[in-house]
Each structure stands twice: as C-alpha cells, then as structure tokens.
Amino acid sequence: MINKREIIVGMLLSLTAVFLFGSCGSEDAPEVNYVNPSVYFQPADSDLSQTAVLRRTFYQQTGCFLLFNDTLQHRLLGTDINGDQQYFTETVDMTYNVGQTNTSTTSYTYTYLSTYDEKKQIVDFLNTYVLNHMTKQIRPFSFFICRQIIGVNNLGTSLRPYATSNQRCTAIAAYYLLQRERTEEQKLNYAKTIINAMIGQMAQNNSNAFTTFYSYSGKYYSANFSAAGITTSSITTDQLRKLGFLSSAASLTYLPSQDTDLTAYTLLVLQYTDAQIQSMYADYDIIIKKATEMRSTLIKLGYVF
C-alpha cells in the first residue's frame, strides 16, 4: 500500500522532471566540439604545391595518409600574463599508442627530406616494394617519411632504425635508398625491414590472431633458463631451437620475449619459403610448426606473399 509520504515524494520528482525538461527545451541543443583528427594528417585545401598533390594522390590510391613532417598541428592559443604567445603543438610521437601509458625509454628526432624528387622516389618505392604486399585492411593509418630517424634509449645508446611503427603511423628513414643506387636485392631486403616493423605493430593491433603462434613457446617467454628445465648457467642454440626459438644463444641471460619471437619469425617467413624453412630446421619440429602458423596468420590478416 502506498502511503502519503511516497505520493508527495513522487509528485516532487515529477515536478522536478518537468522543470528540467522545460529548461532543456528552452535552450539550444549543446554543440559537440569535435574535430576529426584525420584533418591534421592532410595538407590544407589551399595548398596546391607538388608535395600536397603527392600526398593527396597517395591517400586516394592507398588509403594511407602521407607525412613529410612530424608536426601535425601548431596553433596559437593566446598570450600569457607576460604577453608572450602560447602555442599548442601536436607531433607524431612514435613511442605512444592510443589508450596506453607511454612507458618507452627511447626518444626520437628526425631529419627531413629536402626536395620533391626525394619524396617522390620514396613514395614510388613504397608503392612498388611495400604496399603491394598489404591489403588495405592492414595498411597503416599513415606514413611519415623522413631522411633519418635518430633514437636514444635510456642508456644513452644511439639508434638508427630504418623504420618504426605505432598505432597510427609508420615512420620510414629514407637515407638508405638516397645514399646511392641500390641493387634489386638490396631494395627487397630494405622493404622487408620496413614491413617487419609494420607487422610488429599489426600483431599488437590484432593480438588475438596470433594466439596459436604464441601458444607454442608462450610459457617460456622472458623466463629464466630453469623454467625450461635447464640447470646450467648458459643455454645452447640447439636447446633454444628445441624450445621453438630462433635466437642465438650468445649473450642470452633469459629466454627470448614474445616481441622478439614475433619479430624473428616474421623475418623468417618473409625471407624464406616453407620448403626452405623445412630444410633449414628439419630437426626442430616446433620451429616448422610456428613458421607455418605465422605465414598462415599473416595471410589471413591480409598480407600478400
């Protein structure tokens, strides 16, 4: 049975709802302040330069945005109390992935390409040697092409990668091709290095697809030797092979990580056919099974061998 107190409370709630509805109805609907982030990966509509045309054409043909500068936006916010202008700047941060805390200890700087001919040369290379291996579903959101990528890790060690990837961009250092004319074999090997960096990120974006591959050696990733039943202080290459690892025994203190294993097998299937791998690792059944699974997974995701 409903008492008077419940009736009064119900009336008050109803009146509150009416007032709120009337208040909302009398005001303009709120506007969503949203800017599609893809606009920062494109040249301005007013830019009719050769480079801008190259970037637009590349996107139309490949579905990937094209950058030659790591600055996405740089806009004036206003002035501070001292009268100094304050800007907001967003760059392509290759150590950052959307939704993740940046834990990378490596920082990158870049040198840019200086001429249109250099830019066009690298774009032609991408189309001929890299993108022909990837359907649109696994191509990166964007490419940032520069002359050189210079990295420094937490130990102060200098790095010069040919390519590096995150969720929305693959950065490519073009100096290898620009130094001098390369042979066809050198171009193919350079392309495989770039593709490997891209596939590493693709694997992170499609981690569930690699579950079977990881299962073969998963319990050993980054483990100490005792976890694999090895009682000595060192491990041999033969022992690593029997566990399904391609890494060399030299300088290892722990078993290879999942990322290291993924990279090793990606390079293996890019460089060799199934028949060649079966001949090279005839005594290591796990390696052959992992290589077969890796190739199959890449094909399912859209890689074209």
Side-chain angles (χ1 to χ4, degrees), residues 206-217:
N206 301 273
S207 57
N208 291 338
F210 291 86
T211 300
T212 301
F213 170 79
Y214 291 140
S215 68
Y216 286 101
S217 304

PDB file of all heavy atoms in Angstrom, residues 206-217:
ATOM      1  N   ASN A 206      46.231  -6.765 -33.669  1.00  0.00           N
ATOM      2  CA  ASN A 206      45.428  -7.967 -33.912  1.00  0.00           C
ATOM      3  C   ASN A 206      45.961  -9.125 -33.075  1.00  0.00           C
ATOM      4  O   ASN A 206      46.178 -10.229 -33.579  1.00  0.00           O
ATOM      5  CB  ASN A 206      45.466  -8.338 -35.400  1.00  0.00           C
ATOM      6  CG  ASN A 206      44.946  -7.251 -36.304  1.00  0.00           C
ATOM      7  OD1 ASN A 206      43.755  -7.158 -36.562  1.00  0.00           O
ATOM      8  ND2 ASN A 206      45.845  -6.409 -36.801  1.00  0.00           N
ATOM      9  N   SER A 207      46.178  -8.863 -31.795  1.00  0.00           N
ATOM     10  CA  SER A 207      46.859  -9.833 -30.927  1.00  0.00           C
ATOM     11  C   SER A 207      46.148 -11.179 -30.875  1.00  0.00           C
ATOM     12  O   SER A 207      46.803 -12.227 -30.785  1.00  0.00           O
ATOM     13  CB  SER A 207      47.007  -9.261 -29.517  1.00  0.00           C
ATOM     14  OG  SER A 207      45.736  -8.912 -28.980  1.00  0.00           O
ATOM     15  N   ASN A 208      44.826 -11.187 -30.949  1.00  0.00           N
ATOM     16  CA  ASN A 208      44.091 -12.454 -30.865  1.00  0.00           C
ATOM     17  C   ASN A 208      44.401 -13.373 -32.039  1.00  0.00           C
ATOM     18  O   ASN A 208      44.290 -14.599 -31.926  1.00  0.00           O
ATOM     19  CB  ASN A 208      42.585 -12.193 -30.801  1.00  0.00           C
ATOM     20  CG  ASN A 208      42.160 -11.561 -29.488  1.00  0.00           C
ATOM     21  OD1 ASN A 208      42.862 -11.684 -28.498  1.00  0.00           O
ATOM     22  ND2 ASN A 208      41.021 -10.896 -29.479  1.00  0.00           N
ATOM     23  N   ALA A 209      44.784 -12.784 -33.168  1.00  0.00           N
ATOM     24  CA  ALA A 209      45.074 -13.591 -34.347  1.00  0.00           C
ATOM     25  C   ALA A 209      46.334 -14.433 -34.168  1.00  0.00           C
ATOM     26  O   ALA A 209      46.523 -15.431 -34.872  1.00  0.00           O
ATOM     27  CB  ALA A 209      45.217 -12.692 -35.575  1.00  0.00           C
ATOM     28  N   PHE A 210      47.213 -14.041 -33.245  1.00  0.00           N
ATOM     29  CA  PHE A 210      48.485 -14.732 -33.058  1.00  0.00           C
ATOM     30  C   PHE A 210      48.473 -15.659 -31.828  1.00  0.00           C
ATOM     31  O   PHE A 210      49.519 -16.127 -31.410  1.00  0.00           O
ATOM     32  CB  PHE A 210      49.614 -13.713 -32.926  1.00  0.00           C
ATOM     33  CG  PHE A 210      49.904 -12.969 -34.203  1.00  0.00           C
ATOM     34  CD1 PHE A 210      49.183 -11.831 -34.532  1.00  0.00           C
ATOM     35  CD2 PHE A 210      50.880 -13.406 -35.087  1.00  0.00           C
ATOM     36  CE1 PHE A 210      49.430 -11.140 -35.707  1.00  0.00           C
ATOM     37  CE2 PHE A 210      51.141 -12.729 -36.259  1.00  0.00           C
ATOM     38  CZ  PHE A 210      50.408 -11.595 -36.577  1.00  0.00           C
ATOM     39  N   THR A 211      47.294 -15.919 -31.287  1.00  0.00           N
ATOM     40  CA  THR A 211      47.191 -16.747 -30.082  1.00  0.00           C
ATOM     41  C   THR A 211      47.803 -18.128 -30.285  1.00  0.00           C
ATOM     42  O   THR A 211      48.556 -18.626 -29.437  1.00  0.00           O
ATOM     43  CB  THR A 211      45.718 -16.887 -29.666  1.00  0.00           C
ATOM     44  OG1 THR A 211      45.173 -15.595 -29.394  1.00  0.00           O
ATOM     45  CG2 THR A 211      45.597 -17.750 -28.416  1.00  0.00           C
ATOM     46  N   THR A 212      47.500 -18.751 -31.416  1.00  0.00           N
ATOM     47  CA  THR A 212      48.044 -20.099 -31.676  1.00  0.00           C
ATOM     48  C   THR A 212      49.559 -20.046 -31.821  1.00  0.00           C
ATOM     49  O   THR A 212      50.275 -20.905 -31.288  1.00  0.00           O
ATOM     50  CB  THR A 212      47.413 -20.700 -32.937  1.00  0.00           C
ATOM     51  OG1 THR A 212      45.989 -20.776 -32.772  1.00  0.00           O
ATOM     52  CG2 THR A 212      47.966 -22.097 -33.202  1.00  0.00           C
ATOM     53  N   PHE A 213      50.065 -19.049 -32.548  1.00  0.00           N
ATOM     54  CA  PHE A 213      51.517 -18.924 -32.705  1.00  0.00           C
ATOM     55  C   PHE A 213      52.192 -18.778 -31.349  1.00  0.00           C
ATOM     56  O   PHE A 213      53.194 -19.452 -31.063  1.00  0.00           O
ATOM     57  CB  PHE A 213      51.846 -17.716 -33.586  1.00  0.00           C
ATOM     58  CG  PHE A 213      53.311 -17.373 -33.616  1.00  0.00           C
ATOM     59  CD1 PHE A 213      54.188 -18.084 -34.410  1.00  0.00           C
ATOM     60  CD2 PHE A 213      53.812 -16.350 -32.821  1.00  0.00           C
ATOM     61  CE1 PHE A 213      55.550 -17.791 -34.421  1.00  0.00           C
ATOM     62  CE2 PHE A 213      55.171 -16.033 -32.826  1.00  0.00           C
ATOM     63  CZ  PHE A 213      56.036 -16.767 -33.617  1.00  0.00           C
ATOM     64  N   TYR A 214      51.656 -17.905 -30.484  1.00  0.00           N
ATOM     65  CA  TYR A 214      52.270 -17.671 -29.178  1.00  0.00           C
ATOM     66  C   TYR A 214      52.197 -18.909 -28.282  1.00  0.00           C
ATOM     67  O   TYR A 214      53.026 -19.082 -27.388  1.00  0.00           O
ATOM     68  CB  TYR A 214      51.593 -16.501 -28.469  1.00  0.00           C
ATOM     69  CG  TYR A 214      51.839 -15.145 -29.101  1.00  0.00           C
ATOM     70  CD1 TYR A 214      50.817 -14.201 -29.193  1.00  0.00           C
ATOM     71  CD2 TYR A 214      53.086 -14.802 -29.598  1.00  0.00           C
ATOM     72  CE1 TYR A 214      51.050 -12.953 -29.755  1.00  0.00           C
ATOM     73  CE2 TYR A 214      53.320 -13.562 -30.170  1.00  0.00           C
ATOM     74  CZ  TYR A 214      52.287 -12.635 -30.250  1.00  0.00           C
ATOM     75  OH  TYR A 214      52.512 -11.403 -30.813  1.00  0.00           O
ATOM     76  N   SER A 215      51.207 -19.764 -28.511  1.00  0.00           N
ATOM     77  CA  SER A 215      50.993 -20.900 -27.609  1.00  0.00           C
ATOM     78  C   SER A 215      52.144 -21.907 -27.632  1.00  0.00           C
ATOM     79  O   SER A 215      52.385 -22.600 -26.641  1.00  0.00           O
ATOM     80  CB  SER A 215      49.688 -21.616 -27.967  1.00  0.00           C
ATOM     81  OG  SER A 215      49.788 -22.261 -29.238  1.00  0.00           O
ATOM     82  N   TYR A 216      52.878 -21.983 -28.729  1.00  0.00           N
ATOM     83  CA  TYR A 216      53.941 -22.985 -28.848  1.00  0.00           C
ATOM     84  C   TYR A 216      55.069 -22.749 -27.838  1.00  0.00           C
ATOM     85  O   TYR A 216      55.608 -23.684 -27.260  1.00  0.00           O
ATOM     86  CB  TYR A 216      54.521 -22.982 -30.263  1.00  0.00           C
ATOM     87  CG  TYR A 216      53.621 -23.614 -31.292  1.00  0.00           C
ATOM     88  CD1 TYR A 216      52.846 -22.835 -32.136  1.00  0.00           C
ATOM     89  CD2 TYR A 216      53.543 -25.003 -31.415  1.00  0.00           C
ATOM     90  CE1 TYR A 216      52.015 -23.413 -33.091  1.00  0.00           C
ATOM     91  CE2 TYR A 216      52.716 -25.595 -32.371  1.00  0.00           C
ATOM     92  CZ  TYR A 216      51.957 -24.787 -33.196  1.00  0.00           C
ATOM     93  OH  TYR A 216      51.132 -25.360 -34.130  1.00  0.00           O
ATOM     94  N   SER A 217      55.452 -21.494 -27.649  1.00  0.00           N
ATOM     95  CA  SER A 217      56.569 -21.189 -26.747  1.00  0.00           C
ATOM     96  C   SER A 217      56.151 -20.211 -25.643  1.00  0.00           C
ATOM     97  O   SER A 217      57.011 -19.677 -24.937  1.00  0.00           O
ATOM     98  CB  SER A 217      57.736 -20.585 -27.542  1.00  0.00           C
ATOM     99  OG  SER A 217      58.144 -21.439 -28.589  1.00  0.00           O
TER     100      SER A 217
END
